PDB file of all heavy atoms in Angstrom:
ATOM      1  N   TRP A 239      20.711 -15.096  42.810  1.00  0.00           N
ATOM      2  CA  TRP A 239      19.824 -14.933  44.074  1.00  0.00           C
ATOM      3  C   TRP A 239      19.243 -16.253  44.376  1.00  0.00           C
ATOM      4  O   TRP A 239      19.103 -16.623  45.599  1.00  0.00           O
ATOM      5  CB  TRP A 239      18.684 -13.930  43.660  1.00  0.00           C
ATOM      6  CG  TRP A 239      17.808 -13.677  44.805  1.00  0.00           C
ATOM      7  CD1 TRP A 239      18.061 -12.904  45.865  1.00  0.00           C
ATOM      8  CD2 TRP A 239      16.587 -14.304  45.056  1.00  0.00           C
ATOM      9  NE1 TRP A 239      16.983 -12.931  46.796  1.00  0.00           N
ATOM     10  CE2 TRP A 239      16.061 -13.847  46.302  1.00  0.00           C
ATOM     11  CE3 TRP A 239      15.798 -15.321  44.425  1.00  0.00           C
ATOM     12  CZ2 TRP A 239      14.855 -14.164  46.752  1.00  0.00           C
ATOM     13  CZ3 TRP A 239      14.604 -15.653  44.967  1.00  0.00           C
ATOM     14  CH2 TRP A 239      14.131 -15.125  46.167  1.00  0.00           C
ATOM     15  N   ASN A 242      21.998 -18.255  46.044  1.00  0.00           N
ATOM     16  CA  ASN A 242      22.340 -17.779  47.371  1.00  0.00           C
ATOM     17  C   ASN A 242      21.497 -16.578  47.699  1.00  0.00           C
ATOM     18  O   ASN A 242      21.721 -15.446  47.547  1.00  0.00           O
ATOM     19  CB  ASN A 242      23.904 -17.320  47.261  1.00  0.00           C
ATOM     20  CG  ASN A 242      24.420 -17.129  48.745  1.00  0.00           C
ATOM     21  OD1 ASN A 242      23.606 -16.969  49.700  1.00  0.00           O
ATOM     22  ND2 ASN A 242      25.740 -17.253  48.846  1.00  0.00           N
ATOM     23  N   PRO A 243      20.307 -16.904  48.349  1.00  0.00           N
ATOM     24  CA  PRO A 243      19.237 -15.802  48.510  1.00  0.00           C
ATOM     25  C   PRO A 243      19.825 -14.660  49.412  1.00  0.00           C
ATOM     26  O   PRO A 243      19.510 -13.484  49.164  1.00  0.00           O
ATOM     27  CB  PRO A 243      18.170 -16.608  49.271  1.00  0.00           C
ATOM     28  CG  PRO A 243      18.304 -17.982  48.752  1.00  0.00           C
ATOM     29  CD  PRO A 243      19.754 -18.192  48.558  1.00  0.00           C
ATOM     30  N   PRO A 244      20.538 -14.909  50.542  1.00  0.00           N
ATOM     31  CA  PRO A 244      21.027 -13.814  51.337  1.00  0.00           C
ATOM     32  C   PRO A 244      21.832 -12.784  50.519  1.00  0.00           C
ATOM     33  O   PRO A 244      21.711 -11.591  50.604  1.00  0.00           O
ATOM     34  CB  PRO A 244      21.808 -14.467  52.389  1.00  0.00           C
ATOM     35  CG  PRO A 244      21.286 -15.838  52.544  1.00  0.00           C
ATOM     36  CD  PRO A 244      20.932 -16.239  51.116  1.00  0.00           C
ATOM     37  N   VAL A 245      22.778 -13.321  49.729  1.00  0.00           N
ATOM     38  CA  VAL A 245      23.600 -12.423  48.937  1.00  0.00           C
ATOM     39  C   VAL A 245      22.842 -11.695  47.878  1.00  0.00           C
ATOM     40  O   VAL A 245      23.023 -10.475  47.704  1.00  0.00           O
ATOM     41  CB  VAL A 245      24.714 -13.272  48.271  1.00  0.00           C
ATOM     42  CG1 VAL A 245      25.568 -12.345  47.289  1.00  0.00           C
ATOM     43  CG2 VAL A 245      25.691 -13.874  49.279  1.00  0.00           C
ATOM     44  N   GLY A 246      21.869 -12.396  47.213  1.00  0.00           N
ATOM     45  CA  GLY A 246      21.001 -11.763  46.237  1.00  0.00           C
ATOM     46  C   GLY A 246      20.202 -10.625  46.830  1.00  0.00           C
ATOM     47  O   GLY A 246      20.012  -9.623  46.321  1.00  0.00           O
ATOM     48  N   THR A 247      19.621 -10.958  48.044  1.00  0.00           N
ATOM     49  CA  THR A 247      18.844  -9.953  48.663  1.00  0.00           C
ATOM     50  C   THR A 247      19.680  -8.725  49.091  1.00  0.00           C
ATOM     51  O   THR A 247      19.286  -7.524  48.945  1.00  0.00           O
ATOM     52  CB  THR A 247      18.166 -10.525  49.962  1.00  0.00           C
ATOM     53  OG1 THR A 247      17.401 -11.644  49.565  1.00  0.00           O
ATOM     54  CG2 THR A 247      17.270  -9.463  50.581  1.00  0.00           C
ATOM     55  N   GLY A 248      20.883  -9.013  49.567  1.00  0.00           N
ATOM     56  CA  GLY A 248      21.829  -7.824  49.916  1.00  0.00           C
ATOM     57  C   GLY A 248      22.093  -6.974  48.762  1.00  0.00           C
ATOM     58  O   GLY A 248      22.118  -5.758  48.865  1.00  0.00           O
ATOM     59  N   VAL A 249      22.375  -7.623  47.567  1.00  0.00           N
ATOM     60  CA  VAL A 249      22.751  -6.902  46.381  1.00  0.00           C
ATOM     61  C   VAL A 249      21.508  -6.051  45.999  1.00  0.00           C
ATOM     62  O   VAL A 249      21.710  -4.869  45.582  1.00  0.00           O
ATOM     63  CB  VAL A 249      23.132  -7.856  45.309  1.00  0.00           C
ATOM     64  CG1 VAL A 249      23.189  -7.017  43.891  1.00  0.00           C
ATOM     65  CG2 VAL A 249      24.451  -8.570  45.623  1.00  0.00           C
ATOM     66  N   ALA A 250      20.314  -6.635  45.996  1.00  0.00           N
ATOM     67  CA  ALA A 250      19.168  -5.910  45.621  1.00  0.00           C
ATOM     68  C   ALA A 250      18.949  -4.647  46.518  1.00  0.00           C
ATOM     69  O   ALA A 250      18.552  -3.605  46.143  1.00  0.00           O
ATOM     70  CB  ALA A 250      17.878  -6.706  45.685  1.00  0.00           C
ATOM     71  N   VAL A 251      19.117  -4.825  47.873  1.00  0.00           N
ATOM     72  CA  VAL A 251      18.993  -3.729  48.843  1.00  0.00           C
ATOM     73  C   VAL A 251      19.985  -2.626  48.525  1.00  0.00           C
ATOM     74  O   VAL A 251      19.649  -1.411  48.501  1.00  0.00           O
ATOM     75  CB  VAL A 251      19.203  -4.262  50.244  1.00  0.00           C
ATOM     76  CG1 VAL A 251      19.279  -3.083  51.250  1.00  0.00           C
ATOM     77  CG2 VAL A 251      17.959  -5.141  50.608  1.00  0.00           C
ATOM     78  N   VAL A 252      21.259  -3.054  48.222  1.00  0.00           N
ATOM     79  CA  VAL A 252      22.292  -2.050  47.892  1.00  0.00           C
ATOM     80  C   VAL A 252      21.983  -1.267  46.604  1.00  0.00           C
ATOM     81  O   VAL A 252      22.147  -0.020  46.590  1.00  0.00           O
ATOM     82  CB  VAL A 252      23.653  -2.708  47.798  1.00  0.00           C
ATOM     83  CG1 VAL A 252      24.667  -1.694  47.295  1.00  0.00           C
ATOM     84  CG2 VAL A 252      24.154  -3.271  49.150  1.00  0.00           C
ATOM     85  N   VAL A 253      21.499  -1.877  45.550  1.00  0.00           N
ATOM     86  CA  VAL A 253      21.155  -1.297  44.326  1.00  0.00           C
ATOM     87  C   VAL A 253      20.084  -0.310  44.562  1.00  0.00           C
ATOM     88  O   VAL A 253      20.063   0.809  44.029  1.00  0.00           O
ATOM     89  CB  VAL A 253      20.772  -2.335  43.247  1.00  0.00           C
ATOM     90  CG1 VAL A 253      20.201  -1.628  42.098  1.00  0.00           C
ATOM     91  CG2 VAL A 253      21.988  -3.173  42.845  1.00  0.00           C
ATOM     92  N   TYR A 254      18.998  -0.707  45.277  1.00  0.00           N
ATOM     93  CA  TYR A 254      17.845   0.116  45.541  1.00  0.00           C
ATOM     94  C   TYR A 254      18.260   1.335  46.395  1.00  0.00           C
ATOM     95  O   TYR A 254      17.853   2.511  46.135  1.00  0.00           O
ATOM     96  CB  TYR A 254      16.722  -0.650  46.304  1.00  0.00           C
ATOM     97  CG  TYR A 254      15.529   0.214  46.654  1.00  0.00           C
ATOM     98  CD1 TYR A 254      14.653   0.597  45.630  1.00  0.00           C
ATOM     99  CD2 TYR A 254      15.360   0.763  47.933  1.00  0.00           C
ATOM    100  CE1 TYR A 254      13.505   1.425  46.038  1.00  0.00           C
ATOM    101  CE2 TYR A 254      14.278   1.607  48.264  1.00  0.00           C
ATOM    102  CZ  TYR A 254      13.376   1.816  47.249  1.00  0.00           C
ATOM    103  OH  TYR A 254      12.330   2.685  47.528  1.00  0.00           O
ATOM    104  N   ALA A 255      19.154   1.034  47.310  1.00  0.00           N
ATOM    105  CA  ALA A 255      19.658   2.190  48.237  1.00  0.00           C
ATOM    106  C   ALA A 255      20.407   3.214  47.402  1.00  0.00           C
ATOM    107  O   ALA A 255      20.231   4.500  47.455  1.00  0.00           O
ATOM    108  CB  ALA A 255      20.427   1.660  49.271  1.00  0.00           C
TER     109      ALA A 255
END
Side-chain angles (χ1 to χ4, degrees):
W239 184 82
N242 197 337
V245 175
T247 303
V249 171
V251 170
V252 171
V253 170
Y254 178 77

